[in-house]
Structures are given as C-alpha cells and as structure tokens.
mmCIF file of all heavy atoms in Angstrom:
data_model
loop_
_atom_site.group_PDB
_atom_site.id
_atom_site.type_symbol
_atom_site.label_atom_id
_atom_site.label_comp_id
_atom_site.label_asym_id
_atom_site.label_seq_id
_atom_site.Cartn_x
_atom_site.Cartn_y
_atom_site.Cartn_z
ATOM 1 N N SER I 1 -64.708 31.775 204.628
ATOM 2 C CA SER I 1 -63.412 32.315 205.041
ATOM 3 C C SER I 1 -63.580 33.162 206.288
ATOM 4 O O SER I 1 -64.517 33.960 206.387
ATOM 5 C CB SER I 1 -62.800 33.149 203.918
ATOM 6 O OG SER I 1 -62.554 32.368 202.768
ATOM 7 N N VAL I 2 -62.659 32.993 207.226
ATOM 8 C CA VAL I 2 -62.727 33.728 208.481
ATOM 9 C C VAL I 2 -61.315 33.992 208.983
ATOM 10 O O VAL I 2 -60.389 33.226 208.702
ATOM 11 C CB VAL I 2 -63.545 32.936 209.527
ATOM 12 C CG1 VAL I 2 -62.845 31.634 209.889
ATOM 13 C CG2 VAL I 2 -63.816 33.773 210.762
ATOM 14 N N GLN I 3 -61.150 35.071 209.723
ATOM 15 C CA GLN I 3 -59.863 35.383 210.321
ATOM 16 C C GLN I 3 -59.636 34.522 211.559
ATOM 17 O O GLN I 3 -60.585 34.108 212.229
ATOM 18 C CB GLN I 3 -59.803 36.865 210.695
ATOM 19 C CG GLN I 3 -58.429 37.354 211.113
ATOM 20 C CD GLN I 3 -58.410 38.848 211.382
ATOM 21 O OE1 GLN I 3 -59.391 39.423 211.832
ATOM 22 N NE2 GLN I 3 -57.285 39.476 211.101
ATOM 23 N N ALA I 4 -58.384 34.241 211.861
ATOM 24 C CA ALA I 4 -58.062 33.480 213.059
ATOM 25 C C ALA I 4 -58.728 34.103 214.283
ATOM 26 O O ALA I 4 -58.718 35.319 214.458
ATOM 27 C CB ALA I 4 -56.553 33.414 213.256
ATOM 28 N N GLY I 5 -59.290 33.251 215.120
ATOM 29 C CA GLY I 5 -60.018 33.709 216.287
ATOM 30 C C GLY I 5 -61.512 33.848 216.059
ATOM 31 O O GLY I 5 -62.268 34.019 217.021
ATOM 32 N N GLY I 6 -61.943 33.760 214.821
ATOM 33 C CA GLY I 6 -63.345 33.876 214.494
ATOM 34 C C GLY I 6 -64.100 32.580 214.682
ATOM 35 O O GLY I 6 -63.557 31.573 215.143
ATOM 36 N N SER I 7 -65.367 32.605 214.294
ATOM 37 C CA SER I 7 -66.246 31.460 214.491
ATOM 38 C C SER I 7 -67.024 31.140 213.229
ATOM 39 O O SER I 7 -67.283 32.014 212.398
ATOM 40 C CB SER I 7 -67.246 31.741 215.625
ATOM 41 O OG SER I 7 -66.598 32.036 216.838
ATOM 42 N N LEU I 8 -67.396 29.883 213.096
ATOM 43 C CA LEU I 8 -68.257 29.422 212.021
ATOM 44 C C LEU I 8 -69.147 28.313 212.551
ATOM 45 O O LEU I 8 -68.757 27.589 213.467
ATOM 46 C CB LEU I 8 -67.455 28.889 210.836
ATOM 47 C CG LEU I 8 -66.771 29.881 209.902
ATOM 48 C CD1 LEU I 8 -65.900 29.113 208.907
ATOM 49 C CD2 LEU I 8 -67.793 30.726 209.162
ATOM 50 N N ARG I 9 -70.309 28.180 211.959
ATOM 51 C CA ARG I 9 -71.192 27.062 212.258
ATOM 52 C C ARG I 9 -71.487 26.315 210.961
ATOM 53 O O ARG I 9 -72.029 26.890 210.015
ATOM 54 C CB ARG I 9 -72.494 27.523 212.906
ATOM 55 C CG ARG I 9 -73.508 26.390 213.106
ATOM 56 C CD ARG I 9 -74.740 26.866 213.854
ATOM 57 N NE ARG I 9 -74.451 27.025 215.273
ATOM 58 C CZ ARG I 9 -75.285 27.589 216.140
ATOM 59 N NH1 ARG I 9 -76.443 28.072 215.723
ATOM 60 N NH2 ARG I 9 -74.950 27.680 217.419
ATOM 61 N N LEU I 10 -71.144 25.049 210.930
ATOM 62 C CA LEU I 10 -71.408 24.203 209.791
ATOM 63 C C LEU I 10 -72.696 23.425 210.015
ATOM 64 O O LEU I 10 -73.017 23.055 211.145
ATOM 65 C CB LEU I 10 -70.262 23.224 209.549
ATOM 66 C CG LEU I 10 -68.859 23.819 209.422
ATOM 67 C CD1 LEU I 10 -67.857 22.710 209.125
ATOM 68 C CD2 LEU I 10 -68.818 24.892 208.355
ATOM 69 N N SER I 11 -73.406 23.167 208.933
ATOM 70 C CA SER I 11 -74.631 22.390 209.005
ATOM 71 C C SER I 11 -74.598 21.271 207.985
ATOM 72 O O SER I 11 -73.945 21.375 206.947
ATOM 73 C CB SER I 11 -75.860 23.272 208.754
ATOM 74 O OG SER I 11 -76.010 24.243 209.765
ATOM 75 N N CYS I 12 -75.317 20.209 208.286
ATOM 76 C CA CYS I 12 -75.426 19.062 207.398
ATOM 77 C C CYS I 12 -76.879 18.635 207.362
ATOM 78 O O CYS I 12 -77.465 18.333 208.406
ATOM 79 C CB CYS I 12 -74.532 17.922 207.896
ATOM 80 S SG CYS I 12 -74.758 16.347 207.031
ATOM 81 N N ALA I 13 -77.456 18.620 206.180
ATOM 82 C CA ALA I 13 -78.825 18.163 205.995
ATOM 83 C C ALA I 13 -78.811 16.719 205.518
ATOM 84 O O ALA I 13 -78.134 16.393 204.543
ATOM 85 C CB ALA I 13 -79.547 19.050 204.989
ATOM 86 N N ALA I 14 -79.547 15.864 206.209
ATOM 87 C CA ALA I 14 -79.587 14.442 205.893
ATOM 88 C C ALA I 14 -80.953 14.047 205.353
ATOM 89 O O ALA I 14 -81.982 14.541 205.805
ATOM 90 C CB ALA I 14 -79.262 13.613 207.132
ATOM 91 N N SER I 15 -80.947 13.141 204.398
ATOM 92 C CA SER I 15 -82.191 12.632 203.836
ATOM 93 C C SER I 15 -81.957 11.236 203.271
ATOM 94 O O SER I 15 -80.826 10.787 203.130
ATOM 95 C CB SER I 15 -82.726 13.561 202.744
ATOM 96 O OG SER I 15 -81.819 13.650 201.659
ATOM 97 N N GLY I 16 -83.046 10.542 202.955
ATOM 98 C CA GLY I 16 -82.959 9.269 202.261
ATOM 99 C C GLY I 16 -82.950 8.024 203.135
ATOM 100 O O GLY I 16 -83.111 6.926 202.625
ATOM 101 N N ALA I 17 -82.739 8.180 204.448
ATOM 102 C CA ALA I 17 -82.700 7.042 205.349
ATOM 103 C C ALA I 17 -82.964 7.513 206.767
ATOM 104 O O ALA I 17 -83.079 8.708 207.021
ATOM 105 C CB ALA I 17 -81.366 6.314 205.251
ATOM 106 N N VAL I 18 -83.045 6.574 207.699
ATOM 107 C CA VAL I 18 -83.256 6.897 209.103
ATOM 108 C C VAL I 18 -82.048 7.654 209.640
ATOM 109 O O VAL I 18 -80.936 7.117 209.672
ATOM 110 C CB VAL I 18 -83.511 5.634 209.940
ATOM 111 C CG1 VAL I 18 -83.709 6.000 211.408
ATOM 112 C CG2 VAL I 18 -84.731 4.893 209.421
ATOM 113 N N TYR I 19 -82.277 8.875 210.057
ATOM 114 C CA TYR I 19 -81.203 9.733 210.528
ATOM 115 C C TYR I 19 -81.007 9.645 212.029
ATOM 116 O O TYR I 19 -79.869 9.598 212.507
ATOM 117 C CB TYR I 19 -81.498 11.178 210.111
ATOM 118 C CG TYR I 19 -80.587 12.214 210.714
ATOM 119 C CD1 TYR I 19 -79.325 12.445 210.192
ATOM 120 C CD2 TYR I 19 -81.015 12.991 211.795
ATOM 121 C CE1 TYR I 19 -78.499 13.418 210.730
ATOM 122 C CE2 TYR I 19 -80.188 13.961 212.333
ATOM 123 C CZ TYR I 19 -78.932 14.170 211.796
ATOM 124 O OH TYR I 19 -78.118 15.139 212.337
ATOM 125 N N SER I 20 -82.081 9.617 212.800
ATOM 126 C CA SER I 20 -82.002 9.718 214.251
ATOM 127 C C SER I 20 -81.288 8.539 214.903
ATOM 128 O O SER I 20 -80.768 8.685 216.013
ATOM 129 C CB SER I 20 -83.397 9.880 214.851
ATOM 130 O OG SER I 20 -84.207 8.758 214.575
ATOM 131 N N ARG I 21 -81.241 7.395 214.253
ATOM 132 C CA ARG I 21 -80.604 6.213 214.827
ATOM 133 C C ARG I 21 -79.172 5.998 214.330
ATOM 134 O O ARG I 21 -78.549 4.992 214.685
ATOM 135 C CB ARG I 21 -81.446 4.982 214.536
ATOM 136 C CG ARG I 21 -82.834 5.043 215.161
ATOM 137 C CD ARG I 21 -83.672 3.833 214.812
ATOM 138 N NE ARG I 21 -85.010 3.919 215.391
ATOM 139 C CZ ARG I 21 -85.962 3.019 215.219
ATOM 140 N NH1 ARG I 21 -85.728 1.938 214.478
ATOM 141 N NH2 ARG I 21 -87.150 3.185 215.780
ATOM 142 N N TYR I 22 -78.670 6.903 213.539
ATOM 143 C CA TYR I 22 -77.318 6.796 212.999
ATOM 144 C C TYR I 22 -76.320 7.555 213.853
ATOM 145 O O TYR I 22 -76.639 8.600 214.413
ATOM 146 C CB TYR I 22 -77.259 7.381 211.592
ATOM 147 C CG TYR I 22 -77.703 6.467 210.486
ATOM 148 C CD1 TYR I 22 -78.823 5.674 210.601
ATOM 149 C CD2 TYR I 22 -76.987 6.429 209.288
ATOM 150 C CE1 TYR I 22 -79.234 4.851 209.570
ATOM 151 C CE2 TYR I 22 -77.383 5.615 208.249
ATOM 152 C CZ TYR I 22 -78.506 4.826 208.397
ATOM 153 O OH TYR I 22 -78.902 4.017 207.355
ATOM 154 N N CYS I 23 -75.094 7.041 213.925
ATOM 155 C CA CYS I 23 -73.983 7.858 214.375
ATOM 156 C C CYS I 23 -73.719 8.912 213.301
ATOM 157 O O CYS I 23 -73.807 8.632 212.111
ATOM 158 C CB CYS I 23 -72.707 7.037 214.538
ATOM 159 S SG CYS I 23 -72.816 5.589 215.593
ATOM 160 N N MET I 24 -73.364 10.114 213.730
ATOM 161 C CA MET I 24 -73.015 11.176 212.805
ATOM 162 C C MET I 24 -71.685 11.775 213.226
ATOM 163 O O MET I 24 -71.344 11.769 214.410
ATOM 164 C CB MET I 24 -74.088 12.268 212.781
ATOM 165 C CG MET I 24 -75.481 11.787 212.411
ATOM 166 S SD MET I 24 -75.607 11.224 210.685
ATOM 167 C CE MET I 24 -75.332 12.765 209.797
ATOM 168 N N ALA I 25 -70.954 12.301 212.264
ATOM 169 C CA ALA I 25 -69.637 12.840 212.583
ATOM 170 C C ALA I 25 -69.222 13.896 211.574
ATOM 171 O O ALA I 25 -69.769 13.982 210.471
ATOM 172 C CB ALA I 25 -68.592 11.725 212.620
ATOM 173 N N TRP I 26 -68.246 14.693 211.989
ATOM 174 C CA TRP I 26 -67.583 15.643 211.111
ATOM 175 C C TRP I 26 -66.121 15.234 210.951
ATOM 176 O O TRP I 26 -65.454 14.883 211.932
ATOM 177 C CB TRP I 26 -67.639 17.066 211.671
ATOM 178 C CG TRP I 26 -68.993 17.689 211.610
ATOM 179 C CD1 TRP I 26 -69.911 17.764 212.606
ATOM 180 C CD2 TRP I 26 -69.573 18.348 210.478
ATOM 181 N NE1 TRP I 26 -71.035 18.423 212.177
ATOM 182 C CE2 TRP I 26 -70.855 18.795 210.876
ATOM 183 C CE3 TRP I 26 -69.136 18.604 209.179
ATOM 184 C CZ2 TRP I 26 -71.707 19.484 210.014
ATOM 185 C CZ3 TRP I 26 -69.985 19.284 208.319
ATOM 186 C CH2 TRP I 26 -71.247 19.719 208.735
ATOM 187 N N PHE I 27 -65.642 15.314 209.723
ATOM 188 C CA PHE I 27 -64.252 15.052 209.401
ATOM 189 C C PHE I 27 -63.668 16.273 208.712
ATOM 190 O O PHE I 27 -64.390 17.071 208.109
ATOM 191 C CB PHE I 27 -64.118 13.843 208.468
ATOM 192 C CG PHE I 27 -64.394 12.515 209.112
ATOM 193 C CD1 PHE I 27 -65.683 12.138 209.435
ATOM 194 C CD2 PHE I 27 -63.355 11.635 209.389
ATOM 195 C CE1 PHE I 27 -65.949 10.914 210.024
ATOM 196 C CE2 PHE I 27 -63.604 10.402 209.973
ATOM 197 C CZ PHE I 27 -64.897 10.045 210.290
ATOM 198 N N ARG I 28 -62.356 16.404 208.777
ATOM 199 C CA ARG I 28 -61.657 17.481 208.085
ATOM 200 C C ARG I 28 -60.568 16.893 207.205
ATOM 201 O O ARG I 28 -59.857 15.984 207.624
ATOM 202 C CB ARG I 28 -61.021 18.458 209.080
ATOM 203 C CG ARG I 28 -60.285 19.633 208.413
ATOM 204 C CD ARG I 28 -59.597 20.501 209.453
ATOM 205 N NE ARG I 28 -58.455 19.821 210.029
ATOM 206 C CZ ARG I 28 -57.213 19.945 209.585
ATOM 207 N NH1 ARG I 28 -56.939 20.738 208.549
ATOM 208 N NH2 ARG I 28 -56.235 19.282 210.172
ATOM 209 N N GLN I 29 -60.435 17.431 206.013
ATOM 210 C CA GLN I 29 -59.347 17.068 205.129
ATOM 211 C C GLN I 29 -58.557 18.322 204.801
ATOM 212 O O GLN I 29 -59.046 19.209 204.100
ATOM 213 C CB GLN I 29 -59.860 16.409 203.849
ATOM 214 C CG GLN I 29 -58.747 15.906 202.944
ATOM 215 C CD GLN I 29 -59.261 15.044 201.811
ATOM 216 O OE1 GLN I 29 -60.452 15.035 201.506
ATOM 217 N NE2 GLN I 29 -58.365 14.300 201.187
ATOM 218 N N ALA I 30 -57.343 18.399 205.325
ATOM 219 C CA ALA I 30 -56.470 19.533 205.052
ATOM 220 C C ALA I 30 -55.954 19.437 203.626
ATOM 221 O O ALA I 30 -55.921 18.353 203.035
ATOM 222 C CB ALA I 30 -55.309 19.549 206.041
ATOM 223 N N PRO I 31 -55.543 20.569 203.061
ATOM 224 C CA PRO I 31 -54.982 20.537 201.703
ATOM 225 C C PRO I 31 -53.840 19.531 201.600
ATOM 226 O O PRO I 31 -52.877 19.597 202.363
ATOM 227 C CB PRO I 31 -54.495 21.965 201.489
ATOM 228 C CG PRO I 31 -55.375 22.791 202.374
ATOM 229 C CD PRO I 31 -55.600 21.936 203.594
ATOM 230 N N GLY I 32 -53.955 18.602 200.682
ATOM 231 C CA GLY I 32 -52.928 17.588 200.499
ATOM 232 C C GLY I 32 -52.919 16.500 201.548
ATOM 233 O O GLY I 32 -52.043 15.627 201.518
ATOM 234 N N GLY I 33 -53.859 16.515 202.476
ATOM 235 C CA GLY I 33 -53.900 15.543 203.546
ATOM 236 C C GLY I 33 -55.016 14.530 203.395
ATOM 237 O O GLY I 33 -55.674 14.444 202.365
ATOM 238 N N GLN I 34 -55.223 13.753 204.449
ATOM 239 C CA GLN I 34 -56.282 12.763 204.467
ATOM 240 C C GLN I 34 -57.378 13.185 205.441
ATOM 241 O O GLN I 34 -57.173 14.068 206.276
ATOM 242 C CB GLN I 34 -55.736 11.388 204.854
ATOM 243 C CG GLN I 34 -55.082 11.332 206.226
ATOM 244 C CD GLN I 34 -54.460 9.978 206.520
ATOM 245 O OE1 GLN I 34 -54.352 9.122 205.646
ATOM 246 N NE2 GLN I 34 -54.048 9.764 207.751
ATOM 247 N N ARG I 35 -58.503 12.549 205.331
ATOM 248 C CA ARG I 35 -59.608 12.869 206.220
ATOM 249 C C ARG I 35 -59.305 12.432 207.650
ATOM 250 O O ARG I 35 -58.858 11.314 207.886
ATOM 251 C CB ARG I 35 -60.887 12.198 205.738
ATOM 252 C CG ARG I 35 -61.415 12.735 204.434
ATOM 253 C CD ARG I 35 -62.713 12.063 204.053
ATOM 254 N NE ARG I 35 -63.149 12.467 202.728
ATOM 255 C CZ ARG I 35 -64.247 12.036 202.141
ATOM 256 N NH1 ARG I 35 -65.035 11.179 202.756
ATOM 257 N NH2 ARG I 35 -64.566 12.464 200.932
ATOM 258 N N GLU I 36 -59.568 13.332 208.590
ATOM 259 C CA GLU I 36 -59.373 13.054 210.000
ATOM 260 C C GLU I 36 -60.654 13.355 210.762
ATOM 261 O O GLU I 36 -61.321 14.348 210.494
ATOM 262 C CB GLU I 36 -58.235 13.898 210.569
ATOM 263 C CG GLU I 36 -56.892 13.641 209.913
ATOM 264 C CD GLU I 36 -55.787 14.487 210.502
ATOM 265 O OE1 GLU I 36 -56.103 15.466 211.221
ATOM 266 O OE2 GLU I 36 -54.613 14.174 210.257
ATOM 267 N N GLY I 37 -60.979 12.498 211.704
ATOM 268 C CA GLY I 37 -62.167 12.707 212.508
ATOM 269 C C GLY I 37 -62.047 13.942 213.385
ATOM 270 O O GLY I 37 -61.007 14.180 213.995
ATOM 271 N N VAL I 38 -63.113 14.713 213.462
ATOM 272 C CA VAL I 38 -63.167 15.917 214.279
ATOM 273 C C VAL I 38 -64.070 15.709 215.490
ATOM 274 O O VAL I 38 -63.674 15.974 216.632
ATOM 275 C CB VAL I 38 -63.651 17.120 213.458
ATOM 276 C CG1 VAL I 38 -63.855 18.340 214.351
ATOM 277 C CG2 VAL I 38 -62.666 17.431 212.334
ATOM 278 N N ALA I 39 -65.288 15.270 215.250
ATOM 279 C CA ALA I 39 -66.255 15.076 216.318
ATOM 280 C C ALA I 39 -67.310 14.086 215.865
ATOM 281 O O ALA I 39 -67.606 13.990 214.673
ATOM 282 C CB ALA I 39 -66.904 16.405 216.710
ATOM 283 N N ALA I 40 -67.890 13.364 216.817
ATOM 284 C CA ALA I 40 -68.935 12.401 216.519
ATOM 285 C C ALA I 40 -70.045 12.513 217.552
ATOM 286 O O ALA I 40 -69.814 12.963 218.679
ATOM 287 C CB ALA I 40 -68.370 10.975 216.499
ATOM 288 N N ILE I 41 -71.232 12.067 217.175
ATOM 289 C CA ILE I 41 -72.371 12.121 218.081
ATOM 290 C C ILE I 41 -73.272 10.925 217.833
ATOM 291 O O ILE I 41 -73.515 10.531 216.690
ATOM 292 C CB ILE I 41 -73.136 13.460 217.911
ATOM 293 C CG1 ILE I 41 -74.234 13.602 218.966
ATOM 294 C CG2 ILE I 41 -73.695 13.593 216.494
ATOM 295 C CD1 ILE I 41 -74.814 15.006 219.029
ATOM 296 N N THR I 42 -73.780 10.330 218.909
ATOM 297 C CA THR I 42 -74.667 9.189 218.807
ATOM 298 C C THR I 42 -76.107 9.646 218.645
ATOM 299 O O THR I 42 -76.428 10.824 218.750
ATOM 300 C CB THR I 42 -74.569 8.296 220.046
ATOM 301 O OG1 THR I 42 -75.194 8.963 221.163
ATOM 302 C CG2 THR I 42 -73.120 7.989 220.402
ATOM 303 N N GLY I 43 -76.995 8.687 218.407
ATOM 304 C CA GLY I 43 -78.405 8.998 218.297
ATOM 305 C C GLY I 43 -79.003 9.557 219.574
ATOM 306 O O GLY I 43 -80.016 10.260 219.520
ATOM 307 N N SER I 44 -78.382 9.265 220.716
ATOM 308 C CA SER I 44 -78.841 9.789 221.991
ATOM 309 C C SER I 44 -78.022 10.991 222.454
ATOM 310 O O SER I 44 -78.066 11.356 223.621
ATOM 311 C CB SER I 44 -78.812 8.692 223.053
ATOM 312 O OG SER I 44 -77.520 8.136 223.185
ATOM 313 N N ALA I 45 -77.249 11.577 221.539
ATOM 314 C CA ALA I 45 -76.535 12.835 221.757
ATOM 315 C C ALA I 45 -75.288 12.714 222.633
ATOM 316 O O ALA I 45 -74.836 13.712 223.193
ATOM 317 C CB ALA I 45 -77.466 13.909 222.307
ATOM 318 N N ILE I 46 -74.721 11.528 222.754
ATOM 319 C CA ILE I 46 -73.419 11.382 223.379
ATOM 320 C C ILE I 46 -72.367 11.817 222.369
ATOM 321 O O ILE I 46 -72.419 11.415 221.205
ATOM 322 C CB ILE I 46 -73.177 9.936 223.820
ATOM 323 C CG1 ILE I 46 -74.215 9.523 224.863
ATOM 324 C CG2 ILE I 46 -71.769 9.761 224.376
ATOM 325 C CD1 ILE I 46 -74.180 8.057 225.208
ATOM 326 N N THR I 47 -71.413 12.616 222.800
ATOM 327 C CA THR I 47 -70.448 13.206 221.879
ATOM 328 C C THR I 47 -69.034 12.722 222.126
ATOM 329 O O THR I 47 -68.659 12.348 223.239
ATOM 330 C CB THR I 47 -70.476 14.737 221.967
ATOM 331 O OG1 THR I 47 -70.178 15.146 223.306
ATOM 332 C CG2 THR I 47 -71.848 15.266 221.579
ATOM 333 N N TYR I 48 -68.228 12.767 221.067
ATOM 334 C CA TYR I 48 -66.821 12.405 221.106
ATOM 335 C C TYR I 48 -66.055 13.431 220.287
ATOM 336 O O TYR I 48 -66.522 13.870 219.238
ATOM 337 C CB TYR I 48 -66.588 11.015 220.516
ATOM 338 C CG TYR I 48 -67.410 9.924 221.159
ATOM 339 C CD1 TYR I 48 -68.673 9.604 220.675
ATOM 340 C CD2 TYR I 48 -66.921 9.207 222.249
ATOM 341 C CE1 TYR I 48 -69.435 8.607 221.266
ATOM 342 C CE2 TYR I 48 -67.681 8.210 222.839
ATOM 343 C CZ TYR I 48 -68.933 7.911 222.342
ATOM 344 O OH TYR I 48 -69.679 6.916 222.931
#
C-alpha cells in the first residue's frame, strides 16, 4: 500500500525453464476487471 505519488518496485522470480530467452511482461488486474498489459521486455532488453 502506498499513497498517491509514491513509488514501488515489483519483482518476479522465475524458475523451472529457460528464462533469458523468454519474453517477460507485467499485467494488472483492477478490482472487478480483466488483466491488461502494462509492460513487456524481450530477451535482449527491448521494452514495450
């Protein structure tokens, strides 16, 4: 929980398969809503 204007850093630990060659992304699901894409990154660090 944070006040408006604040900051947070989220982390994701991956295991079980090749991670470096996968696309990775963050999604958000608002209360009562559906999952929406937030950001994505390629294995070579290109971001969207």
Side-chain angles (χ1 to χ4, degrees):
S1 298
V2 65
Q3 190 176 32
S7 302
L8 284 173
R9 174 175 284 171
L10 307 182
S11 295
C12 171
S15 62
V18 179
Y19 171 80
S20 62
R21 298 178 181 178
Y22 277 43
C23 306
M24 302 293 294
W26 288 98
F27 288 73
R28 181 184 71 93
Q29 185 170 16
Q34 60 185 10
R35 293 182 186 180
E36 299 180 345
V38 174
I41 187 168
T42 72
S44 57
I46 298 172
T47 59
Y48 305 90

